[in-house]
Amino acid sequence: MTTTTEAPPRSARQPRPARTARNQQTNDYFDLAERATAAGLMGRRVGWYAARTAILAAGLALAFTLLLTLGDTWWQLLVAVLFGIVFTQGAFLGHDAGHLQVFRSGRHNEWFARIIANLVVGLSHGWWARKHNKHHGNPNVIGKDGDIATGALVFVPGEEVGRTGFMGWVTRHQGYLFFPMLMLFGPVLHANAVQTLATTPAIKHRAAESWLLGLRLIGFPTLVFLTLGPALGAAFMVVQLATFGLYMGATFAPNHKGMPLLPKDLTIDFLRRQVLTSRNIRGGWFTDIAMGGLNYQIEHHVFPRMASVNLKQVRPIVQAFCAERDIPYTETGLFESYGIITAYLNRVGLGYADPMDCPIAAQYR
């Protein structure tokens, strides 16, 4: 080819049942987990996350200092780009906390993620946690994974039928329009956060999220306009939001888009469900930093609570294990993945693909 607690129901440390044809695939996961544990990769990395938090704080401090001191100059648009990058890096850190990777205490992880998501990034942690948990439980499963639900874009073949007019034109060209449309992703995420807190029942700590989100979504633009004035302030916000949306989308899209889609009624074990629907992105240290460790998407889905800095180290273990069990393991370059996504979206938009024409799905029926 994120607050989440998704994992198989049995701890890798518990006794495993006798191997039978029926539970062999389930035992595969525990064998792999034992290898990762033996390699010392399941522990906390407190120093790593303390350093990332300090770097995020320094990035925010630098961006705000430049905003307040550069004055009325179009160089401020570069500061807007910096804000877009820093906010996205904040999303990566909040994602890891949402996966319980930072602290031993689930409550501490939750509050850390909530503060970063609402106050720094401008997202509702409650909205994100619900959506991301469903994604991790059912990646690329038609009708269950909200990340492939039809909206402005159509990811599931067959769901393009009936689109006419302007939206029909968009769908037929959606592969080429994908990256330009990502520039609108930022305002959509902010709007989803507001809508969730206003209308969704049973959001934990709704009042705290509302105050934090209000400070971010009202306070930050207010500061920008008071500092830069209406014209430059508006340009600043457009650039910041476009950078944030493009960076976020271009980081998360390669992980699953264009990978096999699984029918809702398909029975498949946890390990294969995660590996078959995920794609890794090759690269060095810059890719690791730029993508917040999400370039090791297979390993992240197999071990969602593993510290992101350890994913690179567990990768050869997972690769070797998949080769032993004949499980397809997909890894591409970043720009190659973008080409795959563009081609896939165009095929879906033009009605060239069959949602059930998946040899992997057929194999596990």
Side-chain angles (χ1 to χ4, degrees):
M1 326 234 106
T2 285
T3 308
T4 186
T5 57
E6 170 64 24
R10 182 188 296 271
S11 165
R13 292 188 294 274
Q14 290 179 310
R16 288 179 282 122
R19 295 177 184 273
T20 67
R22 186 175 182 179
N23 63 34
Q24 177 62 58
Q25 291 183 345
T26 300
N27 283 326
D28 283 347
Y29 176 80
F30 300 117
D31 288 344
L32 177 57
E34 285 173 356
R35 297 187 191 186
T37 301
L41 298 175
M42 302 301 289
R44 304 287 171 181
R45 296 295 299 272
V46 177
W48 164 255
Y49 283 112
R52 282 184 64 181
T53 303
I55 292 171
L56 176 64
L60 286 170
L62 174 62
F64 276 110
T65 298
L66 291 173
L67 170 63
L68 297 173
T69 59
L70 276 182
D72 186 5
T73 169
W74 290 102
W75 287 107
Q76 289 279 13
L77 298 186
L78 292 180
V79 180
V81 172
L82 175 61
F83 268 108
I85 293 172
V86 172
F87 290 154
T88 305
Q89 285 290 326
F92 297 155
L93 182 58
H95 166 273
D96 286 8
H99 276 288
L100 310 181
Q101 296 175 15
V102 180
F103 303 101
R104 293 188 181 277
S105 165
R107 182 173 179 272
H108 292 164
N109 277 299
E110 182 182 326
W111 273 103
F112 188 63
R114 181 175 290 114
I115 291 169
I116 291 179
N118 288 274
L119 184 61
V120 176
V121 187
L123 304 180
S124 164
H125 171 69
W127 165 79
W128 175 85
R130 291 185 178 194
K131 180 176 183 293
H132 203 63
N133 275 337
K134 291 179 180 179
H135 162 71
H136 266 264
N138 298 281
N140 274 18
V141 176
I142 299 171
K144 291 186 177 181
D145 184 0
D147 286 2
I148 58 171
T150 294
L153 297 169
V154 180
F155 296 104
V156 179
E159 295 185 1
E160 80 287 349
V161 175
R163 288 202 161 193
T164 59
F166 175 71
M167 288 308 301
W169 179 87
V170 169
T171 300
R172 291 190 298 274
H173 300 84
Q174 62 179 4
Y176 301 122
L177 295 174
F178 179 63
F179 289 99
M181 289 174 70
L182 287 181
M183 295 183 186
L184 304 175
F185 191 40
V188 171
L189 290 175
H190 296 324
N192 282 339
V194 173
Q195 182 181 19
T196 297
L197 291 179
T199 63
T200 303
I203 292 292
K204 292 176 63 177
H205 304 287
R206 185 191 307 273
E209 285 212 24
S210 298
W211 279 105
L212 293 169
L213 188 67
L215 183 59
R216 165 66 175 82
L217 296 185
I218 297 174
F220 178 66
T222 299
L223 177 64
V224 169
F225 281 106
L226 289 176
T227 303
L228 303 180
L232 184 55
F236 183 101
M237 289 305 303
V238 167
V239 171
Q240 182 268 301
L241 288 167
T243 301
F244 171 64
L246 181 61
Y247 188 9
M248 283 278 284
T251 299
F252 283 91
N255 301 337
H256 303 280
K257 301 298 184 285
M259 295 299 290
L261 303 182
L262 304 180
K264 189 190 306 186
D265 60 352
L266 180 67
T267 300
I268 183 171
D269 67 289
F270 173 85
L271 176 62
R272 286 162 179 79
R273 183 167 71 248
Q274 305 301 329
V275 176
L276 296 175
T277 59
S278 302
R279 177 194 295 117
N280 275 13
I281 302 300
R282 288 190 295 268
W285 63 269
F286 180 80
T287 303
D288 293 354
I289 294 173
M291 297 190 71
L294 296 176
N295 46 316
Y296 303 106
Q297 190 67 194
I298 294 174
E299 288 71 26
H300 170 58
H301 265 255
V302 173
F303 301 115
R305 293 192 184 185
M306 179 180 286
S308 59
V309 69
N310 287 347
L311 297 176
K312 181 177 182 178
Q313 296 165 273
V314 83
R315 171 177 163 271
I317 297 175
V318 176
Q319 276 185 314
F321 190 89
C322 288
E324 292 171 14
R325 299 302 195 277
D326 197 26
I327 303 173
Y329 180 105
T330 301
E331 188 173 79
T332 69
L334 180 61
F335 292 103
E336 181 183 355
S337 75
Y338 292 156
I340 293 170
I341 294 168
T342 298
Y344 172 77
L345 286 174
N346 279 335
R347 286 177 63 239
V348 173
L350 292 171
Y352 288 162
D354 182 338
M356 299 304 150
D357 185 17
C358 176
I360 292 175
Q363 179 183 350
Y364 290 96
R365 280 191 179 280

